[in-house]
Structure formats: structure tokens, C-alpha cells
Amino acid sequence: MRDRFTFVWSLGYVWVAMVAFGGILVDSIVIYPNVFHDPPASLEGSMDFFLITGPADLFPPLGAATVIAGAVTLVLVWRTSARLWIGGSLLTLVLGEFLFSMLFFWPRNDIMFEEGIAVHSVEFLRETAAQFQAGHWVRLAMSGVTATLVLIGFLRYHRDRVIAATEQKKLVTA
């Protein structure tokens, strides 16, 4: 029963990490070109567009769900070869996505979307937008690494399950 729960929970971690990566990729390709094409005017226009809901409504709860899923998965697979891959995915998730976002993006979000032209010059807002976009590619890469490590970890866990089941059958039939 625990093995089945671990399998399903780990698969859930794969799913949520892939959804998070996909969301960041969509932001990169669809949303951000519109948000950053002509700062500060495009920043103001995006605030009007994101009036009801936006990336800030999706990514914090999705990130929290991913961290929780990763931590629980790491505990569940601790005695398998998957632990290194899952542990690595959790490390890139927490350091490369969450901590990096908190330290790098959150202050720039405040500058661009809260304070804006009322507090900062046009040139400063353009520089901040350029920094944000450059940093975003790092965040996208880290999310891709996280998703890849999660998938490899899940496949390692599944492989260990299959090998253990095969060995168990050999013992029973011998």
C-alpha cells in the first residue's frame, strides 16, 4: 500500500513540476513579450490586463504546492536511488526558483508594477525591465532543470520498483 501511495504521490510531483515549468514557458513566449515590449507604457498596460488575475495569482500557490510535493516525495523515496534526483530537484526548486525569485524578481516587480513612473524614471524602469527579462531566462532554465530531475527521479523510483518486484517473483518461484 505504501509503495502504491509513493508511486502516485511521486507521479503527482512530476505533474506539478511539469505544469510549473510549462507555465513559466508560456509566460516567456506569450505573456512577457507583451509586458516588456515598451516599458513603462507596456508595464502600465499589462497592469490593466492583469486586473482580474495574473501570474502573481498562479505562481505562488503553484510554487508552494511544488515545494510540498517535492519534500514529501523526498521523504517517501529516501531509501531508493531516486532520492538523489528528487533531492536535486528540490534543491534547484528552492534555490534556483523560489529563493532566486524572492531576492531578484520580487523587488523588481515592486519597482515596475507598484511604484512605476510615479517613483522612478523611464530609463530606470527600462533597465529594471531588461534585468527582469534576463533573470527570467535563468528562472526558466532552473525550472526546466527541476522538471527534468523530477522526471529522472520518478523513473529511477519506478525502475527500482520493477526490479524489486521481479526479484520477489524469482524468490517465490525458486
Side-chain angles (χ1 to χ4, degrees):
M1 182 69 169
R2 182 181 190 275
D3 188 49
R4 181 171 286 153
F5 177 78
T6 301
F7 180 83
V8 171
W9 186 273
S10 301
L11 185 58
Y13 180 37
V14 171
W15 180 82
V16 75
M18 293 292 178
V19 167
F21 175 62
I24 294 171
L25 186 60
V26 167
D27 263 1
S28 306
I29 297 169
V30 177
I31 304 295
Y32 286 169
N34 292 299
V35 172
F36 296 110
H37 78 278
D38 183 26
S42 59
L43 299 174
E44 290 179 31
S46 68
M47 288 188 298
D48 291 337
F49 179 76
F50 294 129
L51 190 60
I52 305 300
T53 187
D57 298 310
L58 169 67
F59 288 109
L62 183 60
T66 309
V67 170
I68 291 167
V72 172
T73 299
L74 183 59
V75 169
L76 292 171
V77 303
W78 188 254
R79 292 187 177 152
T80 71
S81 66
R83 79 173 168 271
L84 296 175
W85 298 95
I86 298 300
S89 73
L90 200 52
L91 189 65
T92 59
L93 174 64
V94 170
L95 296 179
E97 294 183 65
F98 175 70
L99 192 60
F100 181 59
S101 290
M102 186 176 74
L103 297 175
F104 185 81
F105 291 106
W106 294 2
R108 284 164 180 78
N109 280 334
D110 287 343
I111 290 167
M112 294 183 298
F113 300 109
E114 297 294 325
E115 299 163 358
I117 197 79
V119 176
H120 303 286
S121 70
V122 169
E123 186 55 36
F124 183 73
L125 289 171
R126 287 185 178 148
E127 288 173 19
T128 303
Q131 293 169 358
F132 186 99
Q133 291 177 87
H136 177 72
W137 293 109
V138 173
R139 179 170 55 183
L140 176 65
M142 294 308 290
S143 182
V145 169
T146 298
T148 301
L149 291 172
V150 170
L151 181 60
I152 292 169
F154 175 76
L155 293 173
R156 288 287 174 114
Y157 171 73
H158 182 62
R159 182 195 67 184
D160 289 353
R161 265 179 95 212
V162 169
I163 289 170
T166 302
E167 289 174 359
Q168 183 68 22
K169 284 183 183 178
K170 285 180 185 175
L171 288 174
V172 169
T173 59

Short mmCIF file of all heavy atoms in Angstrom, two decimals, residues 1-14 72-86 149-165:
data_model
loop_
_atom_site.label_atom_id
_atom_site.label_comp_id
_atom_site.label_asym_id
_atom_site.label_seq_id
_atom_site.Cartn_x
_atom_site.Cartn_y
_atom_site.Cartn_z
N MET A 1 0.83 -1.20 0.00
CA MET A 1 0.00 0.00 0.00
C MET A 1 0.87 1.26 0.00
O MET A 1 0.62 2.18 -0.74
CB MET A 1 -0.92 -0.04 1.22
CG MET A 1 -1.86 1.12 1.30
SD MET A 1 -3.08 1.01 -0.01
CE MET A 1 -4.19 2.25 0.53
N ARG A 2 1.93 1.27 0.86
CA ARG A 2 2.82 2.43 0.90
C ARG A 2 3.51 2.63 -0.43
O ARG A 2 3.69 3.77 -0.89
CB ARG A 2 3.86 2.26 2.01
CG ARG A 2 4.78 3.46 2.14
CD ARG A 2 5.82 3.25 3.25
NE ARG A 2 6.55 4.45 3.54
CZ ARG A 2 7.63 4.86 2.87
NH1 ARG A 2 8.08 4.17 1.86
NH2 ARG A 2 8.24 5.97 3.22
N ASP A 3 3.88 1.53 -1.08
CA ASP A 3 4.54 1.61 -2.38
C ASP A 3 3.64 2.26 -3.42
O ASP A 3 4.08 3.09 -4.20
CB ASP A 3 4.96 0.19 -2.81
CG ASP A 3 5.83 0.22 -4.04
OD1 ASP A 3 6.80 1.02 -4.07
OD2 ASP A 3 5.54 -0.54 -4.98
N ARG A 4 2.38 1.88 -3.42
CA ARG A 4 1.43 2.48 -4.37
C ARG A 4 1.25 3.97 -4.09
O ARG A 4 1.21 4.79 -4.99
CB ARG A 4 0.08 1.75 -4.31
CG ARG A 4 -0.92 2.34 -5.30
CD ARG A 4 -2.15 1.52 -5.43
NE ARG A 4 -1.79 0.35 -6.21
CZ ARG A 4 -2.40 -0.83 -6.12
NH1 ARG A 4 -3.40 -0.99 -5.31
NH2 ARG A 4 -2.01 -1.84 -6.85
N PHE A 5 1.13 4.33 -2.79
CA PHE A 5 0.99 5.74 -2.42
C PHE A 5 2.22 6.53 -2.87
O PHE A 5 2.10 7.62 -3.42
CB PHE A 5 0.79 5.87 -0.90
CG PHE A 5 0.73 7.30 -0.44
CD1 PHE A 5 -0.44 8.04 -0.62
CD2 PHE A 5 1.83 7.91 0.14
CE1 PHE A 5 -0.50 9.36 -0.21
CE2 PHE A 5 1.77 9.23 0.55
CZ PHE A 5 0.60 9.96 0.37
N THR A 6 3.40 5.96 -2.64
CA THR A 6 4.64 6.63 -3.04
C THR A 6 4.67 6.83 -4.55
O THR A 6 5.05 7.91 -5.04
CB THR A 6 5.87 5.82 -2.59
OG1 THR A 6 5.83 5.70 -1.17
CG2 THR A 6 7.16 6.48 -2.99
N PHE A 7 4.26 5.82 -5.29
CA PHE A 7 4.23 5.91 -6.75
C PHE A 7 3.30 7.03 -7.19
O PHE A 7 3.67 7.89 -7.99
CB PHE A 7 3.79 4.57 -7.35
CG PHE A 7 3.72 4.58 -8.84
CD1 PHE A 7 4.86 4.38 -9.60
CD2 PHE A 7 2.52 4.80 -9.50
CE1 PHE A 7 4.81 4.40 -10.98
CE2 PHE A 7 2.46 4.82 -10.89
CZ PHE A 7 3.60 4.62 -11.63
N VAL A 8 2.09 7.05 -6.66
CA VAL A 8 1.09 8.06 -7.06
C VAL A 8 1.54 9.45 -6.63
O VAL A 8 1.45 10.41 -7.39
CB VAL A 8 -0.30 7.71 -6.51
CG1 VAL A 8 -1.29 8.84 -6.72
CG2 VAL A 8 -0.81 6.42 -7.15
N TRP A 9 2.03 9.58 -5.40
CA TRP A 9 2.47 10.89 -4.92
C TRP A 9 3.64 11.40 -5.76
O TRP A 9 3.67 12.57 -6.15
CB TRP A 9 2.87 10.81 -3.44
CG TRP A 9 3.19 12.17 -2.91
CD1 TRP A 9 4.40 12.82 -2.96
CD2 TRP A 9 2.28 13.09 -2.30
NE1 TRP A 9 4.30 14.07 -2.41
CE2 TRP A 9 3.01 14.26 -1.99
CE3 TRP A 9 0.93 13.03 -1.96
CZ2 TRP A 9 2.43 15.36 -1.38
CZ3 TRP A 9 0.36 14.12 -1.34
CH2 TRP A 9 1.11 15.28 -1.05
N SER A 10 4.59 10.52 -6.06
CA SER A 10 5.74 10.91 -6.87
C SER A 10 5.32 11.32 -8.27
O SER A 10 5.86 12.28 -8.84
CB SER A 10 6.75 9.76 -6.96
OG SER A 10 7.19 9.40 -5.68
N LEU A 11 4.36 10.61 -8.82
CA LEU A 11 3.82 10.98 -10.13
C LEU A 11 3.16 12.36 -10.05
O LEU A 11 3.28 13.17 -10.98
CB LEU A 11 2.82 9.93 -10.62
CG LEU A 11 2.26 10.12 -12.02
CD1 LEU A 11 3.37 10.16 -13.05
CD2 LEU A 11 1.27 8.99 -12.34
N GLY A 12 2.50 12.64 -8.94
CA GLY A 12 1.92 13.97 -8.73
C GLY A 12 2.99 15.05 -8.71
O GLY A 12 2.79 16.15 -9.24
N TYR A 13 4.12 14.75 -8.10
CA TYR A 13 5.23 15.72 -8.08
C TYR A 13 5.74 15.96 -9.50
O TYR A 13 6.01 17.11 -9.88
CB TYR A 13 6.33 15.22 -7.16
CG TYR A 13 7.54 16.13 -7.04
CD1 TYR A 13 7.42 17.52 -7.04
CD2 TYR A 13 8.82 15.60 -6.90
CE1 TYR A 13 8.53 18.34 -6.91
CE2 TYR A 13 9.93 16.41 -6.77
CZ TYR A 13 9.79 17.78 -6.78
OH TYR A 13 10.89 18.60 -6.65
N VAL A 14 5.86 14.91 -10.29
CA VAL A 14 6.25 15.08 -11.69
C VAL A 14 5.26 16.01 -12.39
O VAL A 14 5.65 16.95 -13.08
CB VAL A 14 6.31 13.71 -12.43
CG1 VAL A 14 6.51 13.91 -13.92
CG2 VAL A 14 7.41 12.84 -11.86
N VAL A 72 7.66 15.96 0.35
CA VAL A 72 7.01 14.69 0.70
C VAL A 72 7.57 13.56 -0.16
O VAL A 72 7.85 12.46 0.36
CB VAL A 72 5.47 14.79 0.59
CG1 VAL A 72 4.81 13.43 0.75
CG2 VAL A 72 4.92 15.79 1.61
N THR A 73 7.77 13.82 -1.43
CA THR A 73 8.33 12.79 -2.31
C THR A 73 9.72 12.39 -1.84
O THR A 73 10.05 11.20 -1.82
CB THR A 73 8.37 13.30 -3.77
OG1 THR A 73 7.05 13.58 -4.20
CG2 THR A 73 9.00 12.26 -4.70
N LEU A 74 10.53 13.36 -1.46
CA LEU A 74 11.88 13.04 -0.98
C LEU A 74 11.83 12.12 0.23
O LEU A 74 12.58 11.14 0.31
CB LEU A 74 12.65 14.32 -0.65
CG LEU A 74 14.10 14.13 -0.21
CD1 LEU A 74 14.91 13.41 -1.30
CD2 LEU A 74 14.73 15.48 0.13
N VAL A 75 10.94 12.39 1.16
CA VAL A 75 10.79 11.53 2.34
C VAL A 75 10.36 10.12 1.90
O VAL A 75 10.89 9.12 2.39
CB VAL A 75 9.79 12.14 3.34
CG1 VAL A 75 9.42 11.14 4.42
CG2 VAL A 75 10.36 13.42 3.95
N LEU A 76 9.40 10.06 0.98
CA LEU A 76 8.86 8.76 0.56
C LEU A 76 9.87 7.90 -0.19
O LEU A 76 9.83 6.67 -0.10
CB LEU A 76 7.61 8.97 -0.29
CG LEU A 76 6.38 9.52 0.44
CD1 LEU A 76 5.28 9.88 -0.56
CD2 LEU A 76 5.87 8.53 1.48
N VAL A 77 10.76 8.53 -0.97
CA VAL A 77 11.70 7.75 -1.79
C VAL A 77 13.09 7.69 -1.17
O VAL A 77 14.04 7.27 -1.83
CB VAL A 77 11.79 8.29 -3.24
CG1 VAL A 77 10.43 8.29 -3.91
CG2 VAL A 77 12.45 9.66 -3.30
N TRP A 78 13.21 8.10 0.07
CA TRP A 78 14.52 8.24 0.70
C TRP A 78 15.38 6.98 0.60
O TRP A 78 16.59 7.05 0.44
CB TRP A 78 14.37 8.67 2.16
CG TRP A 78 15.68 9.01 2.76
CD1 TRP A 78 16.40 8.28 3.65
CD2 TRP A 78 16.47 10.17 2.48
NE1 TRP A 78 17.58 8.91 3.96
CE2 TRP A 78 17.66 10.08 3.25
CE3 TRP A 78 16.30 11.28 1.64
CZ2 TRP A 78 18.64 11.06 3.21
CZ3 TRP A 78 17.30 12.24 1.62
CH2 TRP A 78 18.44 12.13 2.39
N ARG A 79 14.77 5.82 0.69
CA ARG A 79 15.54 4.55 0.68
C ARG A 79 15.76 3.99 -0.72
O ARG A 79 16.11 2.82 -0.86
CB ARG A 79 14.82 3.52 1.54
CG ARG A 79 14.85 3.90 3.00
CD ARG A 79 14.31 2.81 3.86
NE ARG A 79 14.43 3.19 5.26
CZ ARG A 79 13.64 2.78 6.20
NH1 ARG A 79 12.66 1.94 5.92
NH2 ARG A 79 13.82 3.17 7.43
N THR A 80 15.58 4.80 -1.74
CA THR A 80 15.77 4.33 -3.10
C THR A 80 16.83 5.18 -3.80
O THR A 80 17.25 6.22 -3.28
CB THR A 80 14.46 4.43 -3.92
OG1 THR A 80 14.17 5.80 -4.19
CG2 THR A 80 13.30 3.77 -3.18
N SER A 81 17.24 4.75 -4.97
CA SER A 81 18.22 5.52 -5.75
C SER A 81 17.63 6.83 -6.27
O SER A 81 18.37 7.71 -6.71
CB SER A 81 18.73 4.68 -6.92
OG SER A 81 17.70 4.42 -7.85
N ALA A 82 16.33 6.98 -6.18
CA ALA A 82 15.68 8.21 -6.66
C ALA A 82 15.95 9.40 -5.75
O ALA A 82 15.78 10.54 -6.17
CB ALA A 82 14.17 7.98 -6.78
N ARG A 83 16.37 9.15 -4.52
CA ARG A 83 16.50 10.25 -3.55
C ARG A 83 17.46 11.33 -4.02
O ARG A 83 17.25 12.50 -3.76
CB ARG A 83 16.87 9.73 -2.18
CG ARG A 83 18.30 9.39 -1.99
CD ARG A 83 18.59 9.04 -0.52
NE ARG A 83 19.89 8.44 -0.41
CZ ARG A 83 20.14 7.15 -0.51
NH1 ARG A 83 19.16 6.30 -0.72
NH2 ARG A 83 21.37 6.69 -0.40
N LEU A 84 18.54 10.96 -4.71
CA LEU A 84 19.50 11.96 -5.18
C LEU A 84 18.87 12.86 -6.24
O LEU A 84 19.09 14.07 -6.25
CB LEU A 84 20.75 11.28 -5.72
CG LEU A 84 21.57 10.51 -4.68
CD1 LEU A 84 22.73 9.78 -5.35
CD2 LEU A 84 22.06 11.43 -3.58
N TRP A 85 18.09 12.26 -7.12
CA TRP A 85 17.44 13.04 -8.19
C TRP A 85 16.32 13.92 -7.63
O TRP A 85 16.22 15.09 -7.99
CB TRP A 85 16.89 12.10 -9.27
CG TRP A 85 17.98 11.32 -9.93
CD1 TRP A 85 18.39 10.06 -9.60
CD2 TRP A 85 18.83 11.76 -10.97
NE1 TRP A 85 19.43 9.69 -10.40
CE2 TRP A 85 19.73 10.71 -11.26
CE3 TRP A 85 18.92 12.93 -11.71
CZ2 TRP A 85 20.70 10.81 -12.24
CZ3 TRP A 85 19.89 13.03 -12.70
CH2 TRP A 85 20.76 11.97 -12.96
N ILE A 86 15.54 13.36 -6.74
CA ILE A 86 14.45 14.13 -6.13
C ILE A 86 15.04 15.22 -5.22
O ILE A 86 14.57 16.36 -5.22
CB ILE A 86 13.49 13.21 -5.35
CG1 ILE A 86 12.83 12.19 -6.29
CG2 ILE A 86 12.44 14.02 -4.60
CD1 ILE A 86 12.00 12.79 -7.42
N LEU A 149 14.96 16.79 -13.43
CA LEU A 149 15.41 15.99 -12.29
C LEU A 149 14.26 15.22 -11.66
O LEU A 149 14.42 14.06 -11.25
CB LEU A 149 16.09 16.88 -11.25
CG LEU A 149 17.43 17.49 -11.66
CD1 LEU A 149 17.90 18.50 -10.61
CD2 LEU A 149 18.47 16.41 -11.89
N VAL A 150 13.10 15.86 -11.57
CA VAL A 150 11.91 15.18 -11.02
C VAL A 150 11.56 13.97 -11.88
O VAL A 150 11.30 12.87 -11.36
CB VAL A 150 10.70 16.14 -10.95
CG1 VAL A 150 9.43 15.39 -10.62
CG2 VAL A 150 10.94 17.23 -9.94
N LEU A 151 11.54 14.16 -13.18
CA LEU A 151 11.19 13.05 -14.08
C LEU A 151 12.20 11.92 -13.98
O LEU A 151 11.82 10.74 -13.88
CB LEU A 151 11.08 13.55 -15.52
CG LEU A 151 10.71 12.49 -16.55
CD1 LEU A 151 9.35 11.87 -16.23
CD2 LEU A 151 10.71 13.09 -17.95
N ILE A 152 13.49 12.26 -13.97
CA ILE A 152 14.51 11.21 -13.85
C ILE A 152 14.36 10.49 -12.51
O ILE A 152 14.45 9.27 -12.43
CB ILE A 152 15.92 11.80 -14.01
CG1 ILE A 152 16.14 12.27 -15.45
CG2 ILE A 152 16.99 10.77 -13.62
CD1 ILE A 152 17.39 13.10 -15.64
N GLY A 153 14.12 11.25 -11.44
CA GLY A 153 13.92 10.64 -10.12
C GLY A 153 12.74 9.70 -10.10
O GLY A 153 12.81 8.60 -9.54
N PHE A 154 11.65 10.13 -10.73
CA PHE A 154 10.47 9.27 -10.78
C PHE A 154 10.78 7.99 -11.56
O PHE A 154 10.40 6.89 -11.15
CB PHE A 154 9.29 10.01 -11.43
CG PHE A 154 8.09 9.14 -11.64
CD1 PHE A 154 7.28 8.79 -10.57
CD2 PHE A 154 7.78 8.65 -12.89
CE1 PHE A 154 6.18 7.98 -10.75
CE2 PHE A 154 6.68 7.84 -13.08
CZ PHE A 154 5.87 7.50 -12.01
N LEU A 155 11.46 8.12 -12.69
CA LEU A 155 11.81 6.94 -13.48
C LEU A 155 12.75 6.02 -12.72
O LEU A 155 12.64 4.79 -12.81
CB LEU A 155 12.41 7.37 -14.83
CG LEU A 155 11.44 8.08 -15.77
CD1 LEU A 155 12.19 8.61 -17.00
CD2 LEU A 155 10.29 7.18 -16.17
N ARG A 156 13.68 6.58 -11.96
CA ARG A 156 14.56 5.77 -11.12
C ARG A 156 13.76 5.02 -10.06
O ARG A 156 14.00 3.84 -9.81
CB ARG A 156 15.63 6.63 -10.44
CG ARG A 156 16.68 7.14 -11.36
CD ARG A 156 17.60 5.98 -11.75
NE ARG A 156 18.54 6.42 -12.74
CZ ARG A 156 19.84 6.51 -12.55
NH1 ARG A 156 20.36 6.16 -11.40
NH2 ARG A 156 20.63 6.90 -13.52
N TYR A 157 12.83 5.73 -9.43
CA TYR A 157 11.99 5.08 -8.42
C TYR A 157 11.20 3.95 -9.05
O TYR A 157 11.14 2.84 -8.51
CB TYR A 157 11.05 6.10 -7.77
CG TYR A 157 10.03 5.44 -6.90
CD1 TYR A 157 10.40 4.89 -5.68
CD2 TYR A 157 8.70 5.31 -7.32
CE1 TYR A 157 9.47 4.24 -4.88
CE2 TYR A 157 7.78 4.66 -6.53
CZ TYR A 157 8.16 4.13 -5.31
OH TYR A 157 7.25 3.48 -4.53
N HIS A 158 10.60 4.20 -10.20
CA HIS A 158 9.81 3.17 -10.87
C HIS A 158 10.68 1.98 -11.27
O HIS A 158 10.29 0.82 -11.10
CB HIS A 158 9.10 3.76 -12.10
CG HIS A 158 8.23 2.78 -12.80
ND1 HIS A 158 7.14 2.19 -12.21
CD2 HIS A 158 8.30 2.27 -14.05
CE1 HIS A 158 6.56 1.36 -13.07
NE2 HIS A 158 7.25 1.40 -14.19
N ARG A 159 11.88 2.26 -11.76
CA ARG A 159 12.81 1.18 -12.12
C ARG A 159 13.13 0.32 -10.90
O ARG A 159 13.12 -0.92 -10.97
CB ARG A 159 14.09 1.76 -12.70
CG ARG A 159 15.08 0.67 -13.13
CD ARG A 159 16.44 1.22 -13.36
NE ARG A 159 16.96 1.64 -12.06
CZ ARG A 159 18.13 2.23 -11.90
NH1 ARG A 159 18.88 2.48 -12.92
NH2 ARG A 159 18.55 2.57 -10.70
N ASP A 160 13.40 0.97 -9.77
CA ASP A 160 13.69 0.23 -8.54
C ASP A 160 12.50 -0.63 -8.13
O ASP A 160 12.68 -1.77 -7.66
CB ASP A 160 14.05 1.19 -7.39
CG ASP A 160 15.40 1.85 -7.58
OD1 ASP A 160 16.13 1.48 -8.51
OD2 ASP A 160 15.72 2.75 -6.77
N ARG A 161 11.29 -0.11 -8.32
CA ARG A 161 10.07 -0.88 -8.00
C ARG A 161 9.97 -2.13 -8.86
O ARG A 161 9.66 -3.21 -8.38
CB ARG A 161 8.83 -0.02 -8.30
CG ARG A 161 8.26 0.72 -7.18
CD ARG A 161 7.06 1.53 -7.65
NE ARG A 161 5.84 0.76 -7.42
CZ ARG A 161 4.78 0.82 -8.19
NH1 ARG A 161 4.75 1.57 -9.24
NH2 ARG A 161 3.71 0.12 -7.89
N VAL A 162 10.22 -1.95 -10.16
CA VAL A 162 10.11 -3.08 -11.09
C VAL A 162 11.17 -4.13 -10.78
O VAL A 162 10.89 -5.33 -10.76
CB VAL A 162 10.21 -2.58 -12.55
CG1 VAL A 162 10.37 -3.75 -13.52
CG2 VAL A 162 9.00 -1.74 -12.91
N ILE A 163 12.39 -3.69 -10.52
CA ILE A 163 13.47 -4.62 -10.19
C ILE A 163 13.13 -5.39 -8.91
O ILE A 163 13.30 -6.61 -8.85
CB ILE A 163 14.82 -3.88 -10.07
CG1 ILE A 163 15.27 -3.42 -11.45
CG2 ILE A 163 15.87 -4.76 -9.40
CD1 ILE A 163 16.47 -2.48 -11.43
N ALA A 164 12.65 -4.70 -7.89
CA ALA A 164 12.29 -5.36 -6.62
C ALA A 164 11.17 -6.37 -6.83
O ALA A 164 11.21 -7.48 -6.29
CB ALA A 164 11.88 -4.32 -5.58
N ALA A 165 10.17 -6.02 -7.64
CA ALA A 165 9.05 -6.93 -7.90
C ALA A 165 9.54 -8.16 -8.67
O ALA A 165 9.12 -9.29 -8.39
CB ALA A 165 7.95 -6.22 -8.66
#
